[in-house]
Amino acid sequence: MKSPRVSIIILNWNGWKDTIECLESLYRITYSNYDVIVVDNGSKDESIQKIKEYAKGDIKVSSKFFTYNPYNKPIRIFEVSENEARDGKFNRPLYEKYDVNKRLILIKNKNNYGFTGGNNVGLQFALSVLNPDYVLFLNNDTVVDKEFLTELIKVAESDEKIGIVGSKIYYYDYKGRSDIVWALGGGGVDLKTGRAWHYGISAQDKKVYKDTNKIGYITGCSMLVKKDILIRLHGFDDAFFSYYEDVDISLRAKSLGYRLSYALSSKVWHKVGATSGGDSVPFIVYIKARNHVLLVKTHGNSLNLILAVIWLLTYKHARRFINFVFLQRNPRLLIHYYNGIKEGLLRY
């Protein structure tokens, strides 16, 4: 029986160095039926050119996780404009002539549409042109194990009600170590406060292994999604732009009757915060606060919303205050935090 077809979508925004390391690790996987789609989200650096140079074999990727492979170069790049991607224009017969590890689809978006919009362009293209059974959303600042996709598919195919599967994600570098778990595929969600958190390796979190019904969401860092879900939900909700979009789509998938699950033998290493810059960036502070409120408004009730705002202005605010004022010495970040809460309340 032929393996299910998987379209792997990687979003790049001014991060070509991370992207080519991710690509080099992907082209070493053992799974045999996949497509690699890089969506450049309106990068202002030399990302497009550098990705092309990598594909030609002009840039030799160095990584502590693998040895560079010169034998699958050059990789044939199929460039697709944003308009062509949205219209489904593509020379598939020519594309299919190349081996899976010697071809790359590069979609060039005109602007930065965020995690949601950028991935949705790639998703629309994949569904209309490649007809995959699954779509895998993978962060560009990751490196994957050779068996990671094989293990994801094993879990996904084990039960027809499983709709989304996540990988076991390690820190790429945690004080020189690469064996420290960042997230077990996803985490929990508490709509009473809007809080979402990663499941790690604590005794409490390990209980989730035995009862996957307790999984609240699968992280978008490495998220394998059944095609039917993406068609019915029309992909990610663009209102989120970035952050909490993975929680939102997980909750919406569960509302359709699908289950979430982990593939704990699927290993991915993640450069945490490499793409966004973390909580020192004003926009990140703003969007996290805004989307926190937006998530509760979308999936909770009025009481949930009141409790979530109280939580944001008390417990969460105290932590933000200490971080921004005393640790980062940048109290102006609090303004962006307040504006995010306000915008979340006023939206819709």
Side-chain angles (χ1 to χ4, degrees):
M1 181 180 295
K2 190 174 182 180
S3 300
R5 185 163 190 159
V6 182
S7 288
I8 304 172
I9 300 178
I10 303 169
L11 194 64
N12 177 81
W13 182 65
N14 299 330
W16 64 269
K17 290 182 180 179
D18 291 331
T19 297
I20 64 174
E21 185 179 5
C22 179
L23 288 173
E24 184 68 12
S25 70
L26 266 178
Y27 285 125
R28 300 166 59 82
I29 64 175
T30 57
Y31 197 76
S32 60
N33 192 15
Y34 66 92
D35 309 284
V36 180
I37 303 169
V38 172
V39 180
D40 184 77
N41 218 12
S43 292
K44 302 303 182 185
D45 67 355
E46 52 187 354
S47 282
I48 298 292
Q49 183 58 37
K50 290 298 184 181
I51 292 171
K52 289 180 179 179
E53 290 177 15
Y54 158 74
K56 290 179 183 177
D58 294 340
I59 298 178
K60 294 177 173 57
V61 179
S62 176
S63 176
K64 63 181 179 180
F65 293 96
F66 55 78
T67 302
Y68 176 74
N69 177 22
Y71 301 108
N72 71 324
K73 313 299 186 303
I75 297 168
R76 172 64 188 271
I77 289 186
F78 291 81
E79 291 188 60
V80 181
S81 69
E82 179 185 328
N83 289 341
E84 290 171 334
R86 293 184 185 278
D87 294 338
K89 294 181 179 179
F90 188 66
N91 188 346
R92 182 168 174 177
L94 176 61
Y95 171 79
E96 297 285 1
K97 292 180 180 179
Y98 290 83
D99 294 337
V100 294
N101 69 334
K102 299 199 71 173
R103 65 190 187 191
L104 169 65
I105 297 169
L106 178 59
I107 297 175
K108 298 178 292 185
N109 283 350
K110 300 172 186 176
N111 299 297
N112 178 10
Y113 302 121
F115 186 90
T116 57
N119 274 310
N120 280 343
V121 173
L123 172 62
Q124 182 178 345
F125 172 84
L127 294 178
S128 64
V129 174
L130 301 173
N131 191 30
D133 300 290
Y134 296 90
V135 175
L136 172 66
F137 300 98
L138 183 68
N139 275 21
N140 75 313
D141 58 346
T142 59
V143 171
V144 303
D145 179 72
K146 287 184 178 182
E147 301 291 335
F148 101 108
L149 186 50
T150 299
E151 296 299 329
L152 283 171
I153 291 295
K154 282 181 183 178
V155 173
E157 291 285 284
S158 67
D159 185 340
E160 64 179 9
K161 296 307 294 180
I162 293 177
I164 306 179
V165 186
S167 302
K168 187 176 185 179
I169 303 170
Y170 296 86
Y171 285 95
Y172 180 94
D173 190 331
Y174 188 90
K175 298 179 180 179
R177 297 178 60 178
S178 55
D179 60 344
I180 304 299
V181 173
W182 177 67
L184 293 174
V189 182
D190 179 9
L191 287 177
K192 292 191 294 293
T193 61
R195 189 170 69 96
W197 65 94
H198 290 152
Y199 287 137
I201 57 174
S202 69
Q204 181 66 30
D205 291 343
K206 286 181 179 179
K207 293 181 180 178
V208 181
Y209 302 169
K210 300 177 182 179
D211 184 5
T212 54
N213 290 321
K214 294 181 180 179
I215 300 173
Y217 76 101
I218 298 298
T219 175
C221 180
S222 176
M223 170 187 274
L224 182 75
V225 189
K226 189 167 288 185
K227 175 181 67 174
D228 178 64
I229 291 175
L230 296 167
I231 292 174
R232 293 175 68 182
L233 297 181
H234 306 288
F236 292 105
D237 184 345
D238 280 332
F240 285 88
F241 192 80
S242 61
Y243 293 100
Y244 288 92
E245 74 291 322
D246 48 1
V247 182
D248 170 71
I249 200 170
S250 294
L251 292 175
R252 288 192 289 138
K254 291 173 73 173
S255 73
L256 295 177
Y258 286 98
R259 291 175 47 225
L260 313 179
S261 191
Y262 304 136
L264 296 180
S265 296
S266 174
K267 300 177 183 178
V268 174
W269 290 267
H270 177 33
K271 302 172 186 175
V272 179
T275 302
S276 67
D279 288 339
S280 62
V281 179
F283 178 74
I284 302 305
V285 173
Y286 160 81
I287 201 72
K288 281 186 174 181
R290 191 203 71 165
N291 287 355
H292 187 122
V293 176
L294 185 59
L295 181 76
V296 179
K297 289 182 70 173
T298 303
H299 297 280
N301 54 39
S302 297
L303 179 59
N304 295 149
L305 183 60
I306 293 170
L307 293 173
V309 173
I310 291 173
W311 186 82
L312 285 168
L313 294 176
T314 54
Y315 175 80
K316 187 69 172 181
H317 179 267
R319 293 174 63 90
R320 288 301 202 200
F321 188 89
I322 293 170
N323 181 20
F324 298 156
V325 176
F326 296 106
L327 300 180
Q328 295 194 45
R329 298 184 183 278
N330 187 5
R332 289 188 61 81
L333 288 174
L334 285 171
I335 297 175
H336 300 283
Y337 180 68
Y338 302 142
N339 285 339
I341 296 172
K342 177 183 176 181
E343 177 65 21
L345 288 170
L346 294 177
R347 194 174 182 90
Y348 297 135

